[in-house]
Amino acid sequence: MEITLSLLTVWLAMANGIFEPSSPPAPLKYAPIVMWHGMGDSCCNPFSLGHFSKFLEEQLPSVYVKSLQIGDNIVQDTENGFFMNVNDQVSIACSLIASDSQLVHGYNAIGFSQGGLFLRAVAQRCPNPPMLNLISVGGPHQGVYGLPHCLYPSHHMCDYVRRVLNVGAYWSWIQDRFVQAEYWHDPLNEEEYKEGSVFLADINNEKNKNNTYRENLLRLHKLVLIKFENDTMVLPKESEWFGFYAPGQGKVVLPLQETELYLEDRLGLKTLYEGNRLDLLSAPGDHLRFTKEWFIQNIIHKYLN
Ligand SMILES: *[C@@H]1O[C@H](CO)[C@@H](O)[C@H](O)[C@H]1NC(C)=O
Ligand SMILES: *[C@@H]1O[C@H](CO)[C@@H](O)[C@H](O)[C@H]1NC(C)=O
């Protein structure tokens, strides 16, 4: 049986027996929450982020939750997760956030899978209104080198995307049109990646070192990166903590603290880490398969309350 990992349906099913709603505390004002879905999902799928919004509202009574929809409807939103230039998607996200009067005093952000990476771009490019905490749930911050379990397994889109990426991930027309190409990180061709990647190489300050990106990321209270211990979706899974293959080969993975990005502090990650503002959490299981219980204990109590 194939697995549709981007959808949160799996953990919802798994969590059913475990979860008991805790009685909400006296009314409090919680910071609003902005979410961005993963590949193959949409803002408002009732079995996935739609359900997750309700769960947050139960846990944090009367919290305002905005799940970003890129496009006019959820079909477009899902398709744009494959085929709309990520830089354009980030601009749209920035306007949706800036034009929402409920968010003017700041918000916490939760991004699932590629949505975690895209929300980091929002933090770096669009500091107003301020993002308070960024919770990245399995986001590939150093990109991916392979799409081992393409989502929508029965869908032609996935095979198509994979074949195209194998041919020329950094060709400009492919970069323009394929979301996953824009965070494709080929460790055997680091130079080509830095030259050709229109999104990831830019937000990771690989080409133009844009100090604004660093300053803006340093405005976060906390950057929280969740890695799934048995992730079979993001290759290498250490990318979820900003680790990546050592340049020139595809086997040995350097942890964040040994990467150039960290040592040169090009994005402020070292500063965040040394100031206890970069939290590296690991969750058991495969990509996005956390339970509600895990999320309540590790995220809601610590960062959203
Ligand atoms: C750096 O990033 C900011 C925010 O996105 C942008 O306004 C500015 O033009 C960028 N600077 C350069 C030199 O690319
Ligand atoms: C993770 O993978 C290891 C090694 O394959 C296995 O022993 C372990 O049971 C897995 N854990 C979970 C939570 O799936």
Side-chain angles (χ1 to χ4, degrees):
M1 198 188 74
E2 305 253 29
I3 328 165
T4 53
L5 290 168
S6 85
L7 304 180
L8 296 168
T9 45
V10 180
W11 72 259
L12 292 174
M14 286 167 55
N16 259 341
I18 309 168
F19 170 64
E20 285 171 25
S22 52
S23 51
L28 275 173
K29 201 94 176 97
Y30 300 108
I33 296 171
V34 171
M35 303 197 292
W36 198 331
H37 63 78
M39 171 169 116
D41 205 354
S42 76
C43 62
C44 312
N45 183 333
F47 296 105
S48 157
L49 286 209
H51 186 101
F52 198 74
S53 298
K54 293 213 178 84
F55 161 67
L56 291 172
E57 286 156 9
E58 271 164 25
Q59 293 297 315
L60 305 166
S62 75
V63 70
Y64 177 69
V65 181
K66 185 184 190 77
S67 188
L68 295 171
Q69 174 180 302
I70 309 298
D72 294 334
N73 52 55
I74 62 171
V75 174
Q76 278 186 15
D77 187 25
T78 306
E79 285 180 6
N80 287 338
F82 290 96
F83 300 119
M84 184 191 231
N85 187 306
V86 183
N87 292 315
D88 296 338
Q89 296 196 52
V90 169
S91 302
I92 292 171
C94 288
S95 344
L96 290 172
I97 292 168
S99 62
D100 188 328
S101 62
Q102 307 242 41
L103 302 175
V104 286
H105 300 300
Y107 62 95
N108 289 316
I110 306 177
F112 297 91
S113 201
Q114 69 183 21
L117 175 63
F118 302 168
L119 278 170
R120 176 164 62 84
V122 169
Q124 292 176 202
R125 289 181 184 165
C126 309
N128 294 307
M131 192 186 286
L132 308 171
N133 295 319
L134 171 55
I135 320 286
S136 160
V137 188
H141 291 278
Q142 278 279 21
V144 294
Y145 184 46
L147 287 176
H149 285 137
C150 205
L151 306 174
Y152 271 34
S154 59
H155 208 288
H156 62 92
M157 272 200 284
C158 275
D159 275 342
Y160 178 53
V161 168
R162 187 157 29 198
R163 262 181 280 142
V164 167
L165 295 189
N166 283 330
V167 176
Y170 301 118
W171 296 354
S172 67
W173 72 269
I174 290 177
Q175 281 285 313
D176 267 355
R177 289 177 182 76
F178 289 87
V179 164
Q180 289 71 37
E182 296 168 36
Y183 59 88
W184 188 263
H185 189 165
D186 182 347
L188 308 181
N189 294 292
E190 284 285 344
E191 286 313 310
E192 209 187 328
Y193 155 68
K194 287 175 190 174
E195 283 300 308
S197 167
V198 299
F199 175 69
L200 187 68
D202 178 68
I203 60 159
N204 282 0
N205 267 347
E206 299 276 14
K207 353 179 181 194
N208 317 311
K209 312 228 154 98
N210 186 334
N211 203 42
T212 307
Y213 285 170
R214 184 176 185 280
E215 285 164 12
N216 287 342
L217 203 64
L218 286 172
R219 288 171 202 254
L220 289 173
H221 296 186
K222 286 267 191 184
L223 174 58
V224 183
L225 304 177
I226 300 167
K227 179 179 83 174
F228 291 89
E229 283 158 21
N230 285 24
D231 201 311
T232 58
M233 174 72 206
V234 169
L235 263 191
K237 62 177 186 275
E238 290 79 2
S239 178
E240 298 172 0
W241 282 359
F242 271 104
F244 205 67
Y245 297 113
Q249 49 86 59
K251 266 195 170 154
V252 178
V253 175
L254 297 179
L256 163 66
Q257 292 84 348
E258 289 172 30
T259 61
E260 241 178 46
L261 179 67
Y262 182 87
L263 294 169
E264 294 174 358
D265 207 17
R266 285 204 306 261
L267 275 182
L269 296 169
K270 188 164 189 267
T271 305
L272 286 170
Y273 190 68
E274 289 173 351
N276 287 322
R277 293 198 290 141
L278 172 58
D279 289 357
L280 304 173
L281 308 186
S282 72
D286 206 337
H287 197 59
L288 301 187
R289 290 205 196 177
F290 56 88
T291 61
K292 286 178 174 176
E293 203 175 51
W294 187 91
F295 200 83
I296 291 169
Q297 275 168 14
N298 293 282
I299 302 298
I300 293 191
H301 288 340
K302 293 197 189 142
Y303 305 105
L304 306 177
N305 227 325

